[in-house]
Amino acid sequence: MTRRKLRPDEEELWRKVADRTDRLHPEKPFHPDDFVTTPAPKPRLKHTFEVTPALGKPSASRPTTAVNLTPSIVDQVATQPVQMDRKAFTQMKRGKLKPEGKLDLHGMTLDRAHPALTRFILSAQSQGKRLVLVVTGKGKNRDDDSPIPVRFGVLRHQVPQWLSMPPLSSVVLQVSQANVRHGGGGAYYVYLRRQR
């Protein structure tokens, strides 16, 4: 790798800057040839996967970009396989089934919401209820200048995860986004297993 000397315009710029600053070490004389730059190395591209043509022959090594997009919570819940009776599921999605109980978590913090949800689901199942409604709210769009992105609607994202973990996973048969008449994107239908 060869080093190059400063171009005249770079040397002129350096002199302008040097004239306006105080030297840290005035005993050392300045000479532009002491400051040489090296060309930046070419970036190496990482291959995440290779695209093969239709004939099945390996393609020439072409870098590709892999994008890992986590599906939205609505898509995650919607793609869950139907565990309950399909006719009842269709009626539930259309808002035709009336929930037998309702829990409103809207405005609660995560540490208050989780125990409240657990108590509500377990007591609803012990009372023989099958369909309950859990209201989370859609979430607020907060303008914070944080460099770390914050999910929109924390409870809305967290509730399906809590319902899929023990002890609630053994009680819950199906989770689905509620119909508009019962809260839409800010609520979930939770269909419970029969008590044994």
Side-chain angles (χ1 to χ4, degrees):
M1 196 177 284
T2 60
R3 294 182 171 201
R4 71 172 179 84
K5 293 187 176 187
L6 292 173
R7 295 189 313 254
D9 61 325
E10 292 172 331
E11 190 173 338
E12 182 185 340
L13 178 63
W14 178 259
R15 294 245 181 239
K16 285 181 182 178
V17 171
D19 290 342
R20 293 186 184 147
T21 58
D22 294 328
R23 294 182 61 183
L24 290 176
H25 304 284
E27 67 278 357
K28 293 183 182 178
F30 166 75
H31 192 272
D33 291 337
D34 293 341
F35 298 93
V36 292
T37 59
T38 57
K42 292 181 181 177
R44 300 181 77 189
L45 300 175
K46 287 187 177 179
H47 295 276
T48 53
F49 59 88
E50 289 186 7
V51 179
T52 55
L55 298 175
K57 295 179 184 176
S59 67
S61 178
R62 272 190 251 154
T64 57
T65 303
V67 179
N68 182 11
L69 294 177
T70 305
S72 70
I73 192 66
V74 175
D75 294 336
Q76 289 176 29
V77 171
T79 56
Q80 295 294 321
V82 177
Q83 302 289 328
M84 58 188 282
D85 177 58
R86 202 162 276 284
K87 184 178 177 185
F89 179 76
T90 304
Q91 287 180 328
M92 179 181 75
K93 289 291 289 173
R94 291 181 180 167
K96 304 287 185 189
L97 295 180
K98 184 179 178 188
E100 301 169 78
K102 176 181 173 182
L103 173 66
D104 192 350
L105 300 174
H106 187 252
M108 285 190 190
T109 58
L110 290 173
D111 59 338
R112 283 186 55 217
H114 192 192
L117 177 69
T118 304
R119 273 192 310 274
F120 173 72
I121 295 295
L122 293 176
S123 68
Q125 198 232 11
S126 68
Q127 295 168 10
K129 295 178 180 176
R130 294 302 304 276
L131 178 65
V132 293
L133 184 69
V134 177
V135 178
T136 60
K138 294 180 182 176
K140 292 181 181 176
N141 189 7
R142 292 184 172 86
D143 292 332
D144 63 350
D145 295 330
S146 172
I148 301 170
V150 179
R151 282 207 157 165
F152 185 68
V154 177
L155 280 176
R156 191 168 146 233
H157 284 83
Q158 198 62 46
V159 165
Q161 291 178 4
W162 288 336
L163 293 170
S164 66
M165 294 170 19
L168 300 180
S169 59
S170 62
V171 174
V172 174
L173 185 62
Q174 190 80 46
V175 178
S176 177
Q177 184 176 322
N179 187 282
V180 177
R181 69 175 74 183
H182 293 129
Y188 292 106
Y189 292 129
V190 182
Y191 200 80
L192 305 174
R193 297 180 190 277
R194 290 189 194 279
Q195 191 177 14
R196 295 176 190 162

